[in-house]
Amino acid sequence: MKPIFLIGFMGAGKTTLGKQLAKKLYAAFADTDQQICINNQTDTVAELIKKNGMDFFRAQEQVALHQVAKKNTVVATGGGAPCFFDNLEWMKKNGTVVYIELDKKTLFHRLKQSNLNERPLLAGKTDTELEQYIIQTLQDRRAYYEQAQIIFNPLKDKLEVLAKLLIDY
Ligand code: S3P
């Protein structure tokens, strides 16, 4: 099986769903953010971004993406990954890309429940700022996300359906 790349907004559940999907497909699981941390000997990407800036992070993200893209692997990518360099085209060429699609309201509630300080792009935002950021960024990124070969909405479909689709893909 070619690598499967999960793309989508922060808080969409790429990591959680990715782990569950990998289990169902008897595949390995990898996470680009985690690989970036390993490569740079840092605990969190937030720390790395603070120290080295966003451009450095995006370059590291591409390195990590290429590194973890192995066969029989489900890869959870960072929310911005498909929107930089040729990452999206590269993922589509070398594997199957699945967009984990959630509406802005659900994303807002899920992100509110998580620790925003661990998310460098969202740290310190008020509710209104967070809502605005989601609306604007989702609008900018949707054009990338929707180019995925498969679009999966976890509120509408069961993971089993996605797993089956991927087996036959
Ligand atoms: C980012 C999303 C994060 C992480 C970084 C940038 C983004 O990953 O890669 O903070 O640009 O949306 P998750 O989507 O896994 O939270």
Side-chain angles (χ1 to χ4, degrees):
M1 187 179 68
K2 285 201 257 177
I4 293 160
F5 301 102
L6 304 186
I7 65 169
F9 209 81
M10 282 176 276
K14 299 177 296 272
T15 302
T16 309
L17 287 173
K19 283 181 182 166
Q20 293 168 355
L21 188 63
K23 243 187 194 168
K24 286 195 190 302
L25 295 172
Y26 301 102
F29 172 77
D31 185 302
T32 54
D33 277 352
Q34 205 182 323
Q35 189 61 43
I36 293 167
C37 289
I38 294 169
N39 291 347
N40 290 278
Q41 293 171 355
T42 180
D43 287 337
T44 63
V45 292
E47 249 177 65
L48 185 78
I49 292 169
K50 218 189 215 170
K51 212 170 130 208
N52 299 285
M54 211 57 201
D55 289 350
F56 179 81
F57 170 76
R58 291 300 174 201
Q60 286 298 306
E61 186 170 55
Q62 188 178 37
V63 171
L65 179 64
H66 292 186
Q67 220 176 335
V68 297
K70 301 201 177 102
K71 61 179 185 186
N72 296 322
T73 305
V74 175
V75 179
T77 66
C83 316
F84 290 86
F85 313 117
D86 67 341
N87 290 347
L88 179 60
E89 277 315 307
W90 189 89
M91 287 189 276
K92 286 176 75 173
K93 208 173 123 200
N94 290 284
T96 310
V97 180
V98 180
Y99 171 27
I100 309 296
E101 183 190 40
L102 278 181
D103 61 276
K104 52 182 188 287
K105 244 192 184 163
T106 308
L107 288 170
F108 176 82
H109 289 298
R110 291 179 60 140
L111 286 167
K112 272 288 291 173
Q113 278 166 11
S114 73
N115 182 0
L116 288 193
N117 290 326
E118 285 172 5
R119 300 182 184 275
L121 298 174
L122 307 180
K125 288 205 188 312
T126 63
D127 280 9
T128 320
E129 286 167 347
L130 176 63
E131 199 183 359
Q132 266 315 109
Y133 179 87
I134 295 170
I135 291 170
Q136 184 60 53
T137 313
L138 198 55
Q139 189 177 310
D140 296 342
R141 290 183 174 178
R142 189 170 278 144
Y144 296 94
Y145 291 158
E146 288 182 347
Q147 288 181 54
Q149 285 119 328
I150 297 172
I151 298 182
F152 176 75
N153 184 323
L155 299 181
K156 292 184 186 153
D157 285 311
K158 283 210 157 88
L159 199 62
E160 283 75 19
V161 177
L162 176 62
K164 268 213 167 121
L165 198 65
L166 286 164
I167 289 168
D168 298 334
Y169 202 77

Short mmCIF file of all heavy atoms in Angstrom, two decimals, residues 8-11 14-15 33 45 49 54 57-58 61 77-81 84 119-121 133 141 145, ligand 1:
data_model
loop_
_atom_site.label_atom_id
_atom_site.label_comp_id
_atom_site.label_asym_id
_atom_site.label_seq_id
_atom_site.Cartn_x
_atom_site.Cartn_y
_atom_site.Cartn_z
N GLY A 8 -5.40 18.51 6.61
CA GLY A 8 -6.57 19.21 7.15
C GLY A 8 -6.17 20.18 8.24
O GLY A 8 -5.00 20.21 8.68
N PHE A 9 -7.13 20.96 8.66
CA PHE A 9 -6.89 22.05 9.61
C PHE A 9 -6.44 21.53 10.97
O PHE A 9 -6.75 20.39 11.34
CB PHE A 9 -8.17 22.87 9.77
CG PHE A 9 -7.93 24.30 10.10
CD1 PHE A 9 -7.61 25.21 9.10
CD2 PHE A 9 -8.02 24.76 11.42
CE1 PHE A 9 -7.37 26.54 9.40
CE2 PHE A 9 -7.78 26.10 11.72
CZ PHE A 9 -7.46 26.99 10.71
N MET A 10 -5.76 22.40 11.71
CA MET A 10 -5.44 22.09 13.11
C MET A 10 -6.72 21.72 13.84
O MET A 10 -7.74 22.37 13.64
CB MET A 10 -4.87 23.33 13.82
CG MET A 10 -3.45 23.65 13.52
SD MET A 10 -2.97 25.21 14.33
CE MET A 10 -3.53 26.41 13.16
N GLY A 11 -6.66 20.70 14.68
CA GLY A 11 -7.83 20.33 15.46
C GLY A 11 -8.79 19.41 14.73
O GLY A 11 -9.80 18.99 15.31
N LYS A 14 -6.27 14.78 12.86
CA LYS A 14 -5.42 13.99 11.95
C LYS A 14 -4.61 12.93 12.70
O LYS A 14 -4.49 11.80 12.23
CB LYS A 14 -4.49 14.92 11.16
CG LYS A 14 -5.22 15.94 10.28
CD LYS A 14 -4.24 16.87 9.60
CE LYS A 14 -3.46 17.74 10.54
NZ LYS A 14 -4.03 19.02 10.93
N THR A 15 -4.05 13.32 13.84
CA THR A 15 -3.22 12.38 14.58
C THR A 15 -4.06 11.25 15.19
O THR A 15 -3.73 10.07 15.03
CB THR A 15 -2.43 13.13 15.69
OG1 THR A 15 -1.64 14.14 15.05
CG2 THR A 15 -1.51 12.20 16.44
N ASP A 33 4.96 16.50 12.43
CA ASP A 33 5.39 17.36 13.55
C ASP A 33 6.33 16.60 14.49
O ASP A 33 7.34 17.14 14.95
CB ASP A 33 4.17 17.85 14.35
CG ASP A 33 3.51 19.08 13.72
OD1 ASP A 33 4.08 19.64 12.76
OD2 ASP A 33 2.44 19.48 14.20
N VAL A 45 7.05 21.51 18.38
CA VAL A 45 7.29 22.38 17.23
C VAL A 45 7.13 23.84 17.65
O VAL A 45 7.75 24.72 17.06
CB VAL A 45 6.38 22.05 16.02
CG1 VAL A 45 6.73 20.70 15.42
CG2 VAL A 45 4.92 22.17 16.33
N ILE A 49 9.67 26.71 16.44
CA ILE A 49 9.22 27.89 15.69
C ILE A 49 9.65 29.17 16.42
O ILE A 49 10.11 30.12 15.80
CB ILE A 49 7.69 27.83 15.45
CG1 ILE A 49 7.36 26.69 14.49
CG2 ILE A 49 7.16 29.16 14.92
CD1 ILE A 49 5.88 26.35 14.37
N MET A 54 9.26 30.63 11.34
CA MET A 54 8.31 29.84 10.55
C MET A 54 8.93 29.29 9.26
O MET A 54 8.62 28.18 8.84
CB MET A 54 7.11 30.73 10.23
CG MET A 54 5.81 29.99 10.11
SD MET A 54 5.44 29.08 11.62
CE MET A 54 4.30 27.89 10.99
N PHE A 57 10.81 26.25 10.02
CA PHE A 57 9.86 25.17 10.31
C PHE A 57 9.31 24.57 9.02
O PHE A 57 9.25 23.35 8.87
CB PHE A 57 8.72 25.68 11.19
CG PHE A 57 7.60 24.69 11.33
CD1 PHE A 57 7.73 23.58 12.16
CD2 PHE A 57 6.42 24.84 10.60
CE1 PHE A 57 6.71 22.64 12.25
CE2 PHE A 57 5.40 23.91 10.69
CZ PHE A 57 5.55 22.81 11.52
N ARG A 58 8.90 25.42 8.08
CA ARG A 58 8.32 24.90 6.82
C ARG A 58 9.34 24.07 6.04
O ARG A 58 8.98 23.07 5.43
CB ARG A 58 7.81 26.05 5.95
CG ARG A 58 6.59 26.77 6.51
CD ARG A 58 5.39 25.86 6.68
NE ARG A 58 4.27 26.55 7.35
CZ ARG A 58 3.29 25.93 7.98
NH1 ARG A 58 3.25 24.62 8.04
NH2 ARG A 58 2.32 26.60 8.57
N GLU A 61 9.59 20.85 7.74
CA GLU A 61 8.36 20.07 7.52
C GLU A 61 8.48 19.28 6.21
O GLU A 61 8.08 18.11 6.13
CB GLU A 61 7.18 21.04 7.46
CG GLU A 61 5.82 20.36 7.38
CD GLU A 61 4.70 21.37 7.58
OE1 GLU A 61 4.64 22.39 6.86
OE2 GLU A 61 3.88 21.14 8.47
N THR A 77 -0.12 14.87 8.74
CA THR A 77 0.71 16.03 8.40
C THR A 77 0.25 17.24 9.20
O THR A 77 -0.89 17.30 9.66
CB THR A 77 0.61 16.35 6.89
OG1 THR A 77 -0.72 16.77 6.58
CG2 THR A 77 0.97 15.14 6.04
N GLY A 78 1.10 18.24 9.32
CA GLY A 78 0.72 19.49 9.97
C GLY A 78 -0.29 20.24 9.09
O GLY A 78 -0.29 20.07 7.87
N GLY A 79 -1.12 21.05 9.72
CA GLY A 79 -2.20 21.73 9.00
C GLY A 79 -1.77 22.57 7.80
O GLY A 79 -2.52 22.75 6.85
N GLY A 80 -0.53 23.06 7.83
CA GLY A 80 -0.08 23.92 6.73
C GLY A 80 0.68 23.16 5.66
O GLY A 80 0.95 23.70 4.58
N ALA A 81 1.03 21.92 5.94
CA ALA A 81 1.94 21.16 5.06
C ALA A 81 1.55 21.17 3.57
O ALA A 81 2.40 21.44 2.72
CB ALA A 81 2.10 19.73 5.58
N PHE A 84 2.44 24.51 1.21
CA PHE A 84 3.78 25.06 0.98
C PHE A 84 4.58 24.21 0.00
O PHE A 84 4.36 22.99 -0.10
CB PHE A 84 4.53 25.20 2.32
CG PHE A 84 3.94 26.28 3.18
CD1 PHE A 84 2.86 25.99 4.01
CD2 PHE A 84 4.40 27.58 3.11
CE1 PHE A 84 2.27 26.99 4.78
CE2 PHE A 84 3.82 28.58 3.87
CZ PHE A 84 2.76 28.29 4.71
N ARG A 119 -0.01 25.50 20.46
CA ARG A 119 -0.16 25.73 19.03
C ARG A 119 0.35 27.13 18.71
O ARG A 119 -0.36 28.12 18.96
CB ARG A 119 -1.64 25.61 18.63
CG ARG A 119 -2.21 24.23 18.94
CD ARG A 119 -3.65 24.14 18.49
NE ARG A 119 -4.26 22.88 18.84
CZ ARG A 119 -4.19 21.78 18.10
NH1 ARG A 119 -3.51 21.78 16.99
NH2 ARG A 119 -4.79 20.67 18.48
N PRO A 120 1.56 27.20 18.16
CA PRO A 120 2.21 28.51 17.97
C PRO A 120 1.39 29.50 17.16
O PRO A 120 1.51 30.71 17.38
CB PRO A 120 3.52 28.16 17.25
CG PRO A 120 3.38 26.74 16.81
CD PRO A 120 2.41 26.09 17.72
N LEU A 121 0.57 29.03 16.25
CA LEU A 121 -0.20 29.97 15.42
C LEU A 121 -1.43 30.49 16.15
O LEU A 121 -2.06 31.45 15.70
CB LEU A 121 -0.62 29.30 14.10
CG LEU A 121 0.53 28.84 13.21
CD1 LEU A 121 0.01 28.07 12.01
CD2 LEU A 121 1.31 30.06 12.73
N TYR A 133 -9.41 33.82 12.79
CA TYR A 133 -8.25 33.10 12.22
C TYR A 133 -8.72 31.85 11.49
O TYR A 133 -8.27 31.56 10.38
CB TYR A 133 -7.26 32.73 13.34
CG TYR A 133 -6.06 31.97 12.80
CD1 TYR A 133 -4.95 32.66 12.31
CD2 TYR A 133 -6.07 30.58 12.74
CE1 TYR A 133 -3.87 31.97 11.77
CE2 TYR A 133 -4.99 29.89 12.20
CZ TYR A 133 -3.90 30.59 11.72
OH TYR A 133 -2.84 29.90 11.18
N ARG A 141 -6.87 28.05 2.77
CA ARG A 141 -6.30 26.70 2.60
C ARG A 141 -7.23 25.71 1.92
O ARG A 141 -6.78 24.66 1.46
CB ARG A 141 -5.90 26.15 3.98
CG ARG A 141 -4.70 26.87 4.54
CD ARG A 141 -4.29 26.26 5.86
NE ARG A 141 -3.04 26.85 6.34
CZ ARG A 141 -2.48 26.54 7.49
NH1 ARG A 141 -3.05 25.66 8.28
NH2 ARG A 141 -1.34 27.11 7.85
N TYR A 145 -6.60 21.94 0.37
CA TYR A 145 -7.18 20.75 1.02
C TYR A 145 -8.10 19.98 0.08
O TYR A 145 -8.09 18.75 0.04
CB TYR A 145 -7.98 21.16 2.27
CG TYR A 145 -7.18 21.69 3.44
CD1 TYR A 145 -7.78 22.49 4.41
CD2 TYR A 145 -5.83 21.40 3.60
CE1 TYR A 145 -7.08 22.98 5.51
CE2 TYR A 145 -5.11 21.89 4.70
CZ TYR A 145 -5.73 22.68 5.64
OH TYR A 145 -5.03 23.15 6.72
C1 S3P B 1 0.31 24.28 11.61
C2 S3P B 1 -0.25 23.18 12.19
C3 S3P B 1 0.40 22.37 13.23
C4 S3P B 1 1.93 22.54 13.17
C5 S3P B 1 2.33 23.97 13.12
C6 S3P B 1 1.69 24.73 11.94
C7 S3P B 1 -0.45 25.04 10.58
O1 S3P B 1 0.06 20.99 13.07
O2 S3P B 1 2.44 21.85 12.05
O3 S3P B 1 1.96 24.56 14.31
O4 S3P B 1 0.16 25.81 9.81
O5 S3P B 1 -1.69 24.84 10.49
P1 S3P B 1 -1.39 20.33 13.42
O6 S3P B 1 -2.29 20.58 12.25
O7 S3P B 1 -1.06 18.89 13.59
O8 S3P B 1 -1.87 20.97 14.67
#
